[in-house]
mmCIF file of all heavy atoms in Angstrom:
data_model
loop_
_atom_site.group_PDB
_atom_site.id
_atom_site.type_symbol
_atom_site.label_atom_id
_atom_site.label_comp_id
_atom_site.label_asym_id
_atom_site.label_seq_id
_atom_site.Cartn_x
_atom_site.Cartn_y
_atom_site.Cartn_z
ATOM 1 N N MET A 583 -5.915 19.410 -19.583
ATOM 2 C CA MET A 583 -4.729 19.792 -18.856
ATOM 3 C C MET A 583 -4.927 19.441 -17.374
ATOM 4 O O MET A 583 -5.975 19.697 -16.795
ATOM 5 C CB MET A 583 -4.479 21.280 -19.025
ATOM 6 C CG MET A 583 -3.305 21.777 -18.243
ATOM 7 S SD MET A 583 -2.962 23.492 -18.562
ATOM 8 C CE MET A 583 -1.386 23.316 -19.327
ATOM 9 N N LEU A 584 -3.885 18.870 -16.774
ATOM 10 C CA LEU A 584 -3.939 18.510 -15.365
ATOM 11 C C LEU A 584 -3.635 19.724 -14.486
ATOM 12 O O LEU A 584 -2.875 20.596 -14.877
ATOM 13 C CB LEU A 584 -2.913 17.414 -15.068
ATOM 14 C CG LEU A 584 -3.153 16.085 -15.752
ATOM 15 C CD1 LEU A 584 -1.984 15.145 -15.497
ATOM 16 C CD2 LEU A 584 -4.446 15.460 -15.265
ATOM 17 N N PRO A 585 -4.204 19.762 -13.283
ATOM 18 C CA PRO A 585 -3.908 20.874 -12.378
ATOM 19 C C PRO A 585 -2.454 20.807 -11.890
ATOM 20 O O PRO A 585 -1.851 19.737 -11.827
ATOM 21 C CB PRO A 585 -4.887 20.690 -11.229
ATOM 22 C CG PRO A 585 -5.324 19.276 -11.300
ATOM 23 C CD PRO A 585 -5.171 18.830 -12.727
ATOM 24 N N ASP A 586 -1.916 21.948 -11.539
ATOM 25 C CA ASP A 586 -0.544 22.047 -11.045
ATOM 26 C C ASP A 586 -0.555 21.956 -9.517
ATOM 27 O O ASP A 586 -1.089 22.819 -8.835
ATOM 28 C CB ASP A 586 0.062 23.370 -11.495
ATOM 29 C CG ASP A 586 1.505 23.537 -11.059
ATOM 30 O OD1 ASP A 586 2.079 22.590 -10.480
ATOM 31 O OD2 ASP A 586 2.067 24.611 -11.292
ATOM 32 N N PHE A 587 0.042 20.910 -8.997
ATOM 33 C CA PHE A 587 0.109 20.706 -7.549
ATOM 34 C C PHE A 587 1.522 20.944 -7.022
ATOM 35 O O PHE A 587 1.928 20.369 -6.019
ATOM 36 C CB PHE A 587 -0.340 19.286 -7.186
ATOM 37 C CG PHE A 587 -1.788 19.042 -7.450
ATOM 38 C CD1 PHE A 587 -2.193 18.176 -8.444
ATOM 39 C CD2 PHE A 587 -2.752 19.683 -6.694
ATOM 40 C CE1 PHE A 587 -3.531 17.943 -8.681
ATOM 41 C CE2 PHE A 587 -4.103 19.450 -6.926
ATOM 42 C CZ PHE A 587 -4.493 18.584 -7.923
ATOM 43 N N THR A 588 2.265 21.822 -7.670
ATOM 44 C CA THR A 588 3.646 22.096 -7.296
ATOM 45 C C THR A 588 3.782 22.505 -5.839
ATOM 46 O O THR A 588 4.705 22.082 -5.150
ATOM 47 C CB THR A 588 4.229 23.198 -8.201
ATOM 48 O OG1 THR A 588 4.119 22.779 -9.556
ATOM 49 C CG2 THR A 588 5.678 23.477 -7.874
ATOM 50 N N ASP A 589 2.906 23.324 -5.352
ATOM 51 C CA ASP A 589 3.009 23.845 -3.989
ATOM 52 C C ASP A 589 2.217 23.033 -2.965
ATOM 53 O O ASP A 589 1.999 23.496 -1.851
ATOM 54 C CB ASP A 589 2.551 25.303 -3.949
ATOM 55 C CG ASP A 589 3.462 26.198 -4.771
ATOM 56 O OD1 ASP A 589 4.683 25.951 -4.775
ATOM 57 O OD2 ASP A 589 2.961 27.126 -5.416
ATOM 58 N N LEU A 590 1.831 21.840 -3.316
ATOM 59 C CA LEU A 590 1.081 20.985 -2.402
ATOM 60 C C LEU A 590 1.952 20.593 -1.208
ATOM 61 O O LEU A 590 3.108 20.210 -1.362
ATOM 62 C CB LEU A 590 0.629 19.721 -3.133
ATOM 63 C CG LEU A 590 -0.211 18.740 -2.350
ATOM 64 C CD1 LEU A 590 -1.563 19.359 -2.014
ATOM 65 C CD2 LEU A 590 -0.392 17.473 -3.141
ATOM 66 N N ASP A 591 1.436 20.714 -0.014
ATOM 67 C CA ASP A 591 2.172 20.376 1.202
ATOM 68 C C ASP A 591 1.988 18.887 1.495
ATOM 69 O O ASP A 591 0.993 18.467 2.095
ATOM 70 C CB ASP A 591 1.665 21.230 2.365
ATOM 71 C CG ASP A 591 2.464 21.035 3.637
ATOM 72 O OD1 ASP A 591 3.332 20.132 3.678
ATOM 73 O OD2 ASP A 591 2.221 21.783 4.588
ATOM 74 N N LEU A 592 2.948 18.077 1.059
ATOM 75 C CA LEU A 592 2.839 16.624 1.235
ATOM 76 C C LEU A 592 2.888 16.213 2.698
ATOM 77 O O LEU A 592 2.263 15.228 3.085
ATOM 78 C CB LEU A 592 3.948 15.914 0.465
ATOM 79 C CG LEU A 592 3.799 15.877 -1.044
ATOM 80 C CD1 LEU A 592 5.024 15.233 -1.678
ATOM 81 C CD2 LEU A 592 2.544 15.134 -1.449
ATOM 82 N N ARG A 593 3.629 16.941 3.515
ATOM 83 C CA ARG A 593 3.686 16.599 4.946
ATOM 84 C C ARG A 593 2.300 16.673 5.573
ATOM 85 O O ARG A 593 1.858 15.761 6.254
ATOM 86 C CB ARG A 593 4.630 17.547 5.675
ATOM 87 C CG ARG A 593 6.071 17.295 5.421
ATOM 88 C CD ARG A 593 6.919 18.247 6.262
ATOM 89 N NE ARG A 593 8.299 18.112 5.897
ATOM 90 C CZ ARG A 593 8.985 19.018 5.213
ATOM 91 N NH1 ARG A 593 8.416 20.140 4.840
ATOM 92 N NH2 ARG A 593 10.238 18.808 4.918
ATOM 93 N N THR A 594 1.634 17.785 5.347
ATOM 94 C CA THR A 594 0.301 17.972 5.913
ATOM 95 C C THR A 594 -0.677 16.967 5.326
ATOM 96 O O THR A 594 -1.467 16.367 6.052
ATOM 97 C CB THR A 594 -0.195 19.405 5.656
ATOM 98 O OG1 THR A 594 0.727 20.317 6.247
ATOM 99 C CG2 THR A 594 -1.566 19.629 6.229
ATOM 100 N N LEU A 595 -0.604 16.765 4.034
ATOM 101 C CA LEU A 595 -1.513 15.827 3.381
ATOM 102 C C LEU A 595 -1.324 14.411 3.918
ATOM 103 O O LEU A 595 -2.298 13.709 4.179
ATOM 104 C CB LEU A 595 -1.300 15.853 1.867
ATOM 105 C CG LEU A 595 -2.244 15.017 1.041
ATOM 106 C CD1 LEU A 595 -3.682 15.488 1.212
ATOM 107 C CD2 LEU A 595 -1.853 15.067 -0.424
ATOM 108 N N SER A 596 -0.083 13.998 4.129
ATOM 109 C CA SER A 596 0.156 12.633 4.608
ATOM 110 C C SER A 596 -0.318 12.437 6.052
ATOM 111 O O SER A 596 -0.697 11.342 6.431
ATOM 112 C CB SER A 596 1.641 12.278 4.499
ATOM 113 O OG SER A 596 2.412 13.060 5.369
ATOM 114 N N ARG A 597 -0.324 13.509 6.840
ATOM 115 C CA ARG A 597 -0.739 13.401 8.243
ATOM 116 C C ARG A 597 -2.231 13.640 8.450
ATOM 117 O O ARG A 597 -2.835 13.060 9.337
ATOM 118 C CB ARG A 597 0.027 14.410 9.095
ATOM 119 C CG ARG A 597 1.452 14.055 9.337
ATOM 120 C CD ARG A 597 2.071 15.051 10.266
ATOM 121 N NE ARG A 597 1.958 16.372 9.645
ATOM 122 C CZ ARG A 597 2.880 17.308 9.652
ATOM 123 N NH1 ARG A 597 3.990 17.103 10.294
ATOM 124 N NH2 ARG A 597 2.708 18.450 9.052
ATOM 125 N N GLN A 598 -2.829 14.532 7.661
ATOM 126 C CA GLN A 598 -4.181 14.985 7.959
ATOM 127 C C GLN A 598 -5.244 14.545 6.963
ATOM 128 O O GLN A 598 -6.403 14.871 7.151
ATOM 129 C CB GLN A 598 -4.194 16.511 8.069
ATOM 130 C CG GLN A 598 -3.331 17.017 9.189
ATOM 131 C CD GLN A 598 -3.313 18.531 9.261
ATOM 132 O OE1 GLN A 598 -3.933 19.211 8.456
ATOM 133 N NE2 GLN A 598 -2.609 19.066 10.225
ATOM 134 N N SER A 599 -4.855 13.826 5.939
ATOM 135 C CA SER A 599 -5.843 13.408 4.946
ATOM 136 C C SER A 599 -6.806 12.394 5.552
ATOM 137 O O SER A 599 -6.405 11.452 6.229
ATOM 138 C CB SER A 599 -5.158 12.796 3.733
ATOM 139 O OG SER A 599 -6.132 12.346 2.827
ATOM 140 N N SER A 600 -8.082 12.587 5.306
ATOM 141 C CA SER A 600 -9.080 11.631 5.788
ATOM 142 C C SER A 600 -9.256 10.475 4.796
ATOM 143 O O SER A 600 -9.960 9.522 5.084
ATOM 144 C CB SER A 600 -10.417 12.341 6.010
ATOM 145 O OG SER A 600 -10.883 12.892 4.798
ATOM 146 N N HIS A 601 -8.602 10.567 3.654
ATOM 147 C CA HIS A 601 -8.681 9.512 2.646
ATOM 148 C C HIS A 601 -7.440 8.627 2.778
ATOM 149 O O HIS A 601 -6.326 9.082 2.544
ATOM 150 C CB HIS A 601 -8.753 10.131 1.249
ATOM 151 C CG HIS A 601 -9.157 9.156 0.203
ATOM 152 N ND1 HIS A 601 -8.314 8.167 -0.241
ATOM 153 C CD2 HIS A 601 -10.307 9.013 -0.475
ATOM 154 C CE1 HIS A 601 -8.924 7.455 -1.163
ATOM 155 N NE2 HIS A 601 -10.145 7.952 -1.317
ATOM 156 N N PRO A 602 -7.594 7.361 3.166
ATOM 157 C CA PRO A 602 -6.437 6.517 3.456
ATOM 158 C C PRO A 602 -5.509 6.298 2.263
ATOM 159 O O PRO A 602 -4.294 6.235 2.431
ATOM 160 C CB PRO A 602 -7.045 5.202 3.937
ATOM 161 C CG PRO A 602 -8.464 5.222 3.493
ATOM 162 C CD PRO A 602 -8.865 6.662 3.360
ATOM 163 N N VAL A 603 -6.047 6.199 1.067
ATOM 164 C CA VAL A 603 -5.200 5.974 -0.107
ATOM 165 C C VAL A 603 -4.395 7.235 -0.417
ATOM 166 O O VAL A 603 -3.199 7.169 -0.703
ATOM 167 C CB VAL A 603 -6.039 5.528 -1.324
ATOM 168 C CG1 VAL A 603 -5.184 5.443 -2.575
ATOM 169 C CG2 VAL A 603 -6.720 4.198 -1.038
ATOM 170 N N LEU A 604 -5.032 8.375 -0.359
ATOM 171 C CA LEU A 604 -4.341 9.634 -0.611
ATOM 172 C C LEU A 604 -3.236 9.857 0.423
ATOM 173 O O LEU A 604 -2.122 10.272 0.079
ATOM 174 C CB LEU A 604 -5.336 10.797 -0.591
ATOM 175 C CG LEU A 604 -4.795 12.160 -0.956
ATOM 176 C CD1 LEU A 604 -4.126 12.148 -2.323
ATOM 177 C CD2 LEU A 604 -5.913 13.182 -0.917
ATOM 178 N N ALA A 605 -3.508 9.558 1.679
ATOM 179 C CA ALA A 605 -2.491 9.694 2.730
ATOM 180 C C ALA A 605 -1.318 8.753 2.474
ATOM 181 O O ALA A 605 -0.161 9.130 2.656
ATOM 182 C CB ALA A 605 -3.102 9.420 4.093
ATOM 183 N N ALA A 606 -1.597 7.539 2.019
ATOM 184 C CA ALA A 606 -0.531 6.568 1.731
ATOM 185 C C ALA A 606 0.324 7.025 0.553
ATOM 186 O O ALA A 606 1.550 6.906 0.583
ATOM 187 C CB ALA A 606 -1.138 5.202 1.450
ATOM 188 N N VAL A 607 -0.301 7.560 -0.470
ATOM 189 C CA VAL A 607 0.449 8.060 -1.634
ATOM 190 C C VAL A 607 1.323 9.239 -1.220
ATOM 191 O O VAL A 607 2.504 9.307 -1.571
ATOM 192 C CB VAL A 607 -0.509 8.453 -2.785
ATOM 193 C CG1 VAL A 607 0.232 9.217 -3.869
ATOM 194 C CG2 VAL A 607 -1.181 7.219 -3.355
ATOM 195 N N ALA A 608 0.767 10.165 -0.469
ATOM 196 C CA ALA A 608 1.534 11.323 -0.015
ATOM 197 C C ALA A 608 2.705 10.872 0.859
ATOM 198 O O ALA A 608 3.820 11.382 0.730
ATOM 199 C CB ALA A 608 0.644 12.294 0.747
ATOM 200 N N SER A 609 2.489 9.896 1.719
ATOM 201 C CA SER A 609 3.562 9.375 2.570
ATOM 202 C C SER A 609 4.653 8.716 1.743
ATOM 203 O O SER A 609 5.834 8.802 2.085
ATOM 204 C CB SER A 609 3.010 8.367 3.575
ATOM 205 O OG SER A 609 2.137 9.016 4.466
ATOM 206 N N GLY A 610 4.263 8.068 0.664
ATOM 207 C CA GLY A 610 5.243 7.431 -0.218
ATOM 208 C C GLY A 610 6.069 8.433 -1.008
ATOM 209 O O GLY A 610 7.237 8.197 -1.301
ATOM 210 N N LEU A 611 5.473 9.546 -1.367
ATOM 211 C CA LEU A 611 6.181 10.563 -2.146
ATOM 212 C C LEU A 611 7.027 11.477 -1.268
ATOM 213 O O LEU A 611 8.012 12.057 -1.737
ATOM 214 C CB LEU A 611 5.177 11.414 -2.930
ATOM 215 C CG LEU A 611 4.407 10.697 -4.032
ATOM 216 C CD1 LEU A 611 3.385 11.638 -4.645
ATOM 217 C CD2 LEU A 611 5.344 10.160 -5.097
ATOM 218 N N LEU A 612 6.680 11.597 -0.021
ATOM 219 C CA LEU A 612 7.355 12.526 0.887
ATOM 220 C C LEU A 612 8.870 12.290 0.987
ATOM 221 O O LEU A 612 9.639 13.249 0.905
ATOM 222 C CB LEU A 612 6.698 12.463 2.265
ATOM 223 C CG LEU A 612 7.108 13.529 3.265
ATOM 224 C CD1 LEU A 612 6.888 14.924 2.717
ATOM 225 C CD2 LEU A 612 6.333 13.353 4.559
ATOM 226 N N PRO A 613 9.358 11.056 1.143
ATOM 227 C CA PRO A 613 10.809 10.867 1.223
ATOM 228 C C PRO A 613 11.549 11.362 -0.018
ATOM 229 O O PRO A 613 12.643 11.898 0.086
ATOM 230 C CB PRO A 613 10.974 9.350 1.393
ATOM 231 C CG PRO A 613 9.678 8.894 1.972
ATOM 232 C CD PRO A 613 8.641 9.806 1.380
ATOM 233 N N ARG A 614 10.968 11.190 -1.180
ATOM 234 C CA ARG A 614 11.607 11.690 -2.406
ATOM 235 C C ARG A 614 11.703 13.206 -2.391
ATOM 236 O O ARG A 614 12.712 13.775 -2.772
ATOM 237 C CB ARG A 614 10.840 11.238 -3.635
ATOM 238 C CG ARG A 614 10.970 9.789 -3.891
ATOM 239 C CD ARG A 614 10.401 9.436 -5.218
ATOM 240 N NE ARG A 614 10.564 8.015 -5.401
ATOM 241 C CZ ARG A 614 9.848 7.299 -6.213
ATOM 242 N NH1 ARG A 614 8.934 7.867 -6.946
ATOM 243 N NH2 ARG A 614 10.049 6.014 -6.329
ATOM 244 N N MET A 615 10.630 13.848 -1.971
ATOM 245 C CA MET A 615 10.620 15.301 -1.928
ATOM 246 C C MET A 615 11.683 15.805 -0.954
ATOM 247 O O MET A 615 12.406 16.750 -1.236
ATOM 248 C CB MET A 615 9.247 15.818 -1.527
ATOM 249 C CG MET A 615 9.142 17.335 -1.573
ATOM 250 S SD MET A 615 7.704 17.955 -0.694
ATOM 251 C CE MET A 615 8.232 17.743 0.988
ATOM 252 N N LEU A 616 11.809 15.161 0.209
ATOM 253 C CA LEU A 616 12.772 15.587 1.215
ATOM 254 C C LEU A 616 14.214 15.400 0.750
ATOM 255 O O LEU A 616 15.110 16.118 1.182
ATOM 256 C CB LEU A 616 12.532 14.841 2.533
ATOM 257 C CG LEU A 616 11.195 15.150 3.211
ATOM 258 C CD1 LEU A 616 11.001 14.260 4.426
ATOM 259 C CD2 LEU A 616 11.105 16.619 3.588
ATOM 260 N N ARG A 617 14.447 14.426 -0.143
ATOM 261 C CA ARG A 617 15.794 14.218 -0.696
ATOM 262 C C ARG A 617 16.058 15.133 -1.886
ATOM 263 O O ARG A 617 17.135 15.091 -2.462
ATOM 264 C CB ARG A 617 15.957 12.759 -1.138
ATOM 265 C CG ARG A 617 16.040 11.783 -0.005
ATOM 266 C CD ARG A 617 16.456 10.403 -0.489
ATOM 267 N NE ARG A 617 15.624 9.874 -1.553
ATOM 268 C CZ ARG A 617 14.686 8.936 -1.406
ATOM 269 N NH1 ARG A 617 14.448 8.426 -0.219
ATOM 270 N NH2 ARG A 617 13.994 8.508 -2.439
ATOM 271 N N GLY A 618 15.070 15.923 -2.270
ATOM 272 C CA GLY A 618 15.243 16.826 -3.401
ATOM 273 C C GLY A 618 14.974 16.173 -4.739
ATOM 274 O O GLY A 618 15.249 16.747 -5.782
ATOM 275 N N GLU A 619 14.430 14.972 -4.722
ATOM 276 C CA GLU A 619 14.090 14.278 -5.956
ATOM 277 C C GLU A 619 12.680 14.664 -6.384
ATOM 278 O O GLU A 619 11.891 15.135 -5.569
ATOM 279 C CB GLU A 619 14.163 12.766 -5.739
ATOM 280 C CG GLU A 619 15.535 12.275 -5.371
ATOM 281 C CD GLU A 619 15.545 10.794 -5.047
ATOM 282 O OE1 GLU A 619 14.533 10.109 -5.274
ATOM 283 O OE2 GLU A 619 16.581 10.323 -4.557
ATOM 284 N N PRO A 620 12.354 14.449 -7.646
ATOM 285 C CA PRO A 620 10.978 14.739 -8.077
ATOM 286 C C PRO A 620 9.981 13.862 -7.319
ATOM 287 O O PRO A 620 10.238 12.693 -7.065
ATOM 288 C CB PRO A 620 10.973 14.370 -9.558
ATOM 289 C CG PRO A 620 12.403 14.340 -9.967
ATOM 290 C CD PRO A 620 13.195 13.981 -8.743
ATOM 291 N N ALA A 621 8.880 14.452 -6.923
ATOM 292 C CA ALA A 621 7.828 13.708 -6.218
ATOM 293 C C ALA A 621 6.961 13.023 -7.265
ATOM 294 O O ALA A 621 5.887 13.476 -7.612
ATOM 295 C CB ALA A 621 7.003 14.640 -5.348
ATOM 296 N N MET A 622 7.473 11.923 -7.775
ATOM 297 C CA MET A 622 6.784 11.175 -8.818
ATOM 298 C C MET A 622 6.676 9.719 -8.382
ATOM 299 O O MET A 622 7.552 9.209 -7.687
ATOM 300 C CB MET A 622 7.560 11.242 -10.135
ATOM 301 C CG MET A 622 7.752 12.649 -10.644
ATOM 302 S SD MET A 622 8.908 12.705 -12.005
ATOM 303 C CE MET A 622 7.894 12.155 -13.343
ATOM 304 N N ALA A 623 5.632 9.080 -8.800
ATOM 305 C CA ALA A 623 5.475 7.658 -8.547
ATOM 306 C C ALA A 623 5.580 6.927 -9.881
ATOM 307 O O ALA A 623 5.114 7.417 -10.905
ATOM 308 C CB ALA A 623 4.130 7.368 -7.900
ATOM 309 N N PHE A 624 6.215 5.796 -9.852
ATOM 310 C CA PHE A 624 6.394 4.994 -11.053
ATOM 311 C C PHE A 624 5.710 3.646 -10.851
ATOM 312 O O PHE A 624 5.533 3.194 -9.721
ATOM 313 C CB PHE A 624 7.888 4.777 -11.329
ATOM 314 C CG PHE A 624 8.626 6.051 -11.591
ATOM 315 C CD1 PHE A 624 9.270 6.714 -10.564
ATOM 316 C CD2 PHE A 624 8.656 6.602 -12.855
ATOM 317 C CE1 PHE A 624 9.949 7.892 -10.796
ATOM 318 C CE2 PHE A 624 9.327 7.777 -13.095
ATOM 319 C CZ PHE A 624 9.973 8.428 -12.065
ATOM 320 N N TYR A 625 5.388 2.983 -11.929
ATOM 321 C CA TYR A 625 4.742 1.679 -11.843
ATOM 322 C C TYR A 625 5.609 0.718 -11.027
ATOM 323 O O TYR A 625 5.106 -0.082 -10.241
ATOM 324 C CB TYR A 625 4.504 1.115 -13.245
ATOM 325 C CG TYR A 625 3.826 -0.224 -13.203
ATOM 326 C CD1 TYR A 625 2.464 -0.321 -12.976
ATOM 327 C CD2 TYR A 625 4.556 -1.407 -13.364
ATOM 328 C CE1 TYR A 625 1.834 -1.555 -12.915
ATOM 329 C CE2 TYR A 625 3.933 -2.635 -13.297
ATOM 330 C CZ TYR A 625 2.582 -2.707 -13.084
ATOM 331 O OH TYR A 625 1.962 -3.911 -13.019
ATOM 332 N N GLU A 626 6.923 0.827 -11.181
ATOM 333 C CA GLU A 626 7.843 -0.066 -10.485
ATOM 334 C C GLU A 626 7.783 0.135 -8.963
ATOM 335 O O GLU A 626 8.252 -0.699 -8.208
ATOM 336 C CB GLU A 626 9.282 0.161 -10.964
ATOM 337 C CG GLU A 626 9.502 -0.234 -12.405
ATOM 338 C CD GLU A 626 9.089 0.860 -13.394
ATOM 339 O OE1 GLU A 626 8.966 2.035 -13.001
ATOM 340 O OE2 GLU A 626 8.868 0.516 -14.562
ATOM 341 N N ASP A 627 7.252 1.260 -8.500
ATOM 342 C CA ASP A 627 7.138 1.521 -7.065
ATOM 343 C C ASP A 627 6.037 0.697 -6.417
ATOM 344 O O ASP A 627 6.001 0.568 -5.208
ATOM 345 C CB ASP A 627 6.827 3.003 -6.799
ATOM 346 C CG ASP A 627 7.962 3.910 -7.234
ATOM 347 O OD1 ASP A 627 9.114 3.439 -7.304
ATOM 348 O OD2 ASP A 627 7.695 5.081 -7.491
ATOM 349 N N GLY A 628 5.153 0.174 -7.217
ATOM 350 C CA GLY A 628 4.008 -0.555 -6.693
ATOM 351 C C GLY A 628 4.362 -1.962 -6.267
ATOM 352 O O GLY A 628 5.478 -2.457 -6.489
ATOM 353 N N PRO A 629 3.417 -2.635 -5.665
ATOM 354 C CA PRO A 629 3.664 -3.980 -5.158
ATOM 355 C C PRO A 629 3.645 -5.059 -6.256
ATOM 356 O O PRO A 629 3.978 -6.205 -5.981
ATOM 357 C CB PRO A 629 2.515 -4.200 -4.178
ATOM 358 C CG PRO A 629 1.415 -3.356 -4.724
ATOM 359 C CD PRO A 629 2.094 -2.145 -5.319
ATOM 360 N N TYR A 630 3.293 -4.687 -7.470
ATOM 361 C CA TYR A 630 3.144 -5.672 -8.534
ATOM 362 C C TYR A 630 4.433 -5.805 -9.324
ATOM 363 O O TYR A 630 5.093 -4.838 -9.628
ATOM 364 C CB TYR A 630 2.012 -5.276 -9.471
ATOM 365 C CG TYR A 630 0.726 -5.053 -8.745
ATOM 366 C CD1 TYR A 630 0.241 -3.767 -8.542
ATOM 367 C CD2 TYR A 630 0.013 -6.118 -8.211
ATOM 368 C CE1 TYR A 630 -0.938 -3.561 -7.853
ATOM 369 C CE2 TYR A 630 -1.161 -5.911 -7.521
ATOM 370 C CZ TYR A 630 -1.637 -4.631 -7.344
ATOM 371 O OH TYR A 630 -2.795 -4.430 -6.650
ATOM 372 N N GLN A 631 4.791 -7.032 -9.634
ATOM 373 C CA GLN A 631 5.979 -7.295 -10.432
ATOM 374 C C GLN A 631 5.543 -7.939 -11.739
ATOM 375 O O GLN A 631 4.636 -8.754 -11.766
ATOM 376 C CB GLN A 631 6.917 -8.243 -9.686
ATOM 377 C CG GLN A 631 7.424 -7.685 -8.369
ATOM 378 C CD GLN A 631 8.341 -6.497 -8.570
ATOM 379 O OE1 GLN A 631 9.120 -6.464 -9.505
ATOM 380 N NE2 GLN A 631 8.226 -5.508 -7.709
ATOM 381 N N LEU A 632 6.209 -7.599 -12.802
ATOM 382 C CA LEU A 632 5.915 -8.208 -14.110
ATOM 383 C C LEU A 632 6.567 -9.565 -14.229
ATOM 384 O O LEU A 632 7.545 -9.857 -13.665
ATOM 385 C CB LEU A 632 6.400 -7.298 -15.250
ATOM 386 C CG LEU A 632 5.670 -5.979 -15.369
ATOM 387 C CD1 LEU A 632 6.307 -5.143 -16.469
ATOM 388 C CD2 LEU A 632 4.212 -6.200 -15.688
#
């Protein structure tokens, strides 16, 4: 079972994370959260195209 990160503060994580990849992911999810959309990432969000 995966941990529940429902209450994770993406704003703080995107600004204060010392891990560059984690900060980039949090920054990418933040706009969705602010619009009230689910904070989910999809394969299509990545730079790779099929």
